[in-house]
Every structure is written in structure tokens, then in C-alpha cells.
Amino acid sequence: MSVWDTVIGQSIVPLLQRTAADAASMLDGGSAGAMTHAWLFTGPPGSGRSVAAWAFAAALQCPNAGCGQCAECTEVRAGTHPDVAALTTQGLNIRISQVRELVPRAALKPAKGRWQIVIVEDADRLGEDAADALLLSVEEPPERTVWMLCAPTAEDIVPTIRSRCRVVQLRTPPYADIATYLTTSEGVDAEVAAFAARAAQGHIGRARALATDADARARREEVLRLPFALDDLRQCLDAAASLVDTAKADAERHCDTLDAREVEELKKALGAGTTGRKPRHLDAAVKDLEREQKLRRTRVQRDSIDRALVDVLALYRDVLVVQMGVGAELVNDEMRPSLDRLARSSSPETTLRRMEAIVAAREALLANAAPLLTLESMALTLREG
Ligand SMILES: [Zn+2]
């Protein structure tokens, strides 16, 4: 299996393959061709931009153009290759200290003689200070250094850095390609794979979760009951509360163990418990970490609510498709009878207003509005129509 098999439904793959070939000939003293030192992978969430960056990194390090079998490919995939470093964050922002740690690393000669590669997975989360710290290294990289930044759009990156990068634009992968990937690579049953790809609306990670995790499917089903349970005020408030509760439960599942482990690791790294005396700076360091963890928890909750809203939005889009009789493919095809009922009981104008209310709620939450209030107001608008 080649490293490119993980890049799903993207027409830019041949260009990256040609570039990897150019890069290899450059190492043998040939011309650079399409090879360059800074790349920016853009694409909607779930389209696989960091997967594409990692595949490209493997293809550059592999003597056989990303065969997927050799030691280089295996090490890059496992994240243990000495010449591939990655900067990731689960918080809201990449810390400047993370960038400062990485920049000297990027200046090193590659230990294995090919390329020194640094991948920044959430480059849109670089604050201004962190971007400044990165700039010089991206502007004037050593001969064998390659930067790969990933972000939703090129506009998410400060212009000074963006202008140094060649942009690789990914698209939302077609449902059929995601379904094929789920059946061939993850062994998912064809029918489940087709459902998951459709329900995830082109988000690969979400499709994988829906295909392989019964709890994720159950939570989605519960969310999709919401539009059918908005008959009175009480139900609207309950619906909003249940969305918030589910998001909190998601965050607990994702963060609780992780948070505790990180605090333990930090204490150990600072030497707590070894001398009997409390190390200097321990309290401050733990407090810093806890602040980051709180931000991460907020982000996980916000992502969870947003995912639910995207699902409900798709349901109303399906209702609109039925009302207009345009015969386009339905995201929630298995809910046909309920969709038909909802379509008959309202007008296309009402459906559009409801969709606008969901879009407005998503925007408000992105701007840090209080979740419960925002969702209550949205639920009431959905009920009034
Ligand atoms: Zn290989």
C-alpha cells in the first residue's frame, strides 16, 4: 500500500507525486523542478489536509517515492522518523514556546541525509507572536529544510508566511471515495460505509467514527430527533439542554483522563516527589497547564455542538430538497418517511428560515456566545418556523 492510498478523493496527488520525484532528483544533483521549501495544505475540516502533508513527507523521505513498505515510510507513519517533526495542538492556540522549541530543530541537517521536514498541523492556530517566531525560518530555510503548514484556508495564515508558501488546495472528498476507503482500508461493511460517508458529509474522520463507533451513531440519531420534538416551549428548552449535556459528556470522555495524565507527567518532569521538597515553579507550571486544558475542553465542547448543528442543518436541507422536488441525493435518506412528513407540514420558506437560524447559532457560538442561551433561542426559532 503506497503512502498516497490514505489521501482520499484528491486530484492534487499526481502533482505531489511529481514533486517528490523532482525532490529525489534534486538530491542526486538534478534541478529542483517543482520542489520548494514551504508548503501550505488547505482544505475544509475533515478533508485530510494533514494526512496529505504526512503522505508528502513520507514520499520525500522514501527512496521509492512513498512505497509505504520501507523503513522510512514506516517511521514517518509512526511519527518516529528523526527528520520529520510535527507541531500539533489540541488547545485553541499554538504556544510561542512550542514554536521556539521547533525552530532550531528545523535548522538541523537531516540525520538520514534527505530532508528535514517540519509539519505544522494547525497553522491557523498560530497567534501573531508564534507566527513571528516562525517567520524567519520559513523565509530563509536551510537547503534541506521543508515546512508543511496546514490550515482551512490560505487566509487563515498571516500574509508574510502565506506569501512564502506554495498552496496545495484540497477539496471535500466525494462520498463514494470515502466509502471505498472505509471498506478497503478499515474493513467496514459496504452498506455501513456508504451510510457513514453520506452522513459525515465528506468529513473523513467523522465518517470513520460513524462507521466504527456505535455510540457515535447513537448520539447522531438522538440529535436528529430534535427537529421532531419541538412542539412546546418545554420541549425546546429540553432540546437545547440536551445538546449542551451531550457536548459536556463528549468533553469529559475526551479530556478527563488526558488532563490527569498530563498533570502527572508535568509533575514528574519537574521532579516533584523525588526529593521530598516541592520543586520551584511547580505551582505556576501546573496552573499554566490547567489553563491550556480548560481551553481544550471548551474547544471539544464547541466542536461537539457544532457537529450536532451541522447534522440538524443537513436534515433541514434534506427537507428543502423534498419540498422543492429537485431529486438531489439526501444526506439522511434512511429517514425518508419522517422527512416527507416534515416537508408536508411546512413551507420551503419556513425551512429556509429554520436553516438560517441554525447558521446564525453556529456563527454566534464561534464568536463565543453562551451555548445554552444560543441553542435555546435557536430551538424556539425552529419551533416558530
Ligand atoms: Zn517507502
Side-chain angles (χ1 to χ4, degrees), residues 58 62-73:
C62 169
N64 314 305
C67 65
Q69 317 291 330
C70 69
E72 310 297 323
C73 286

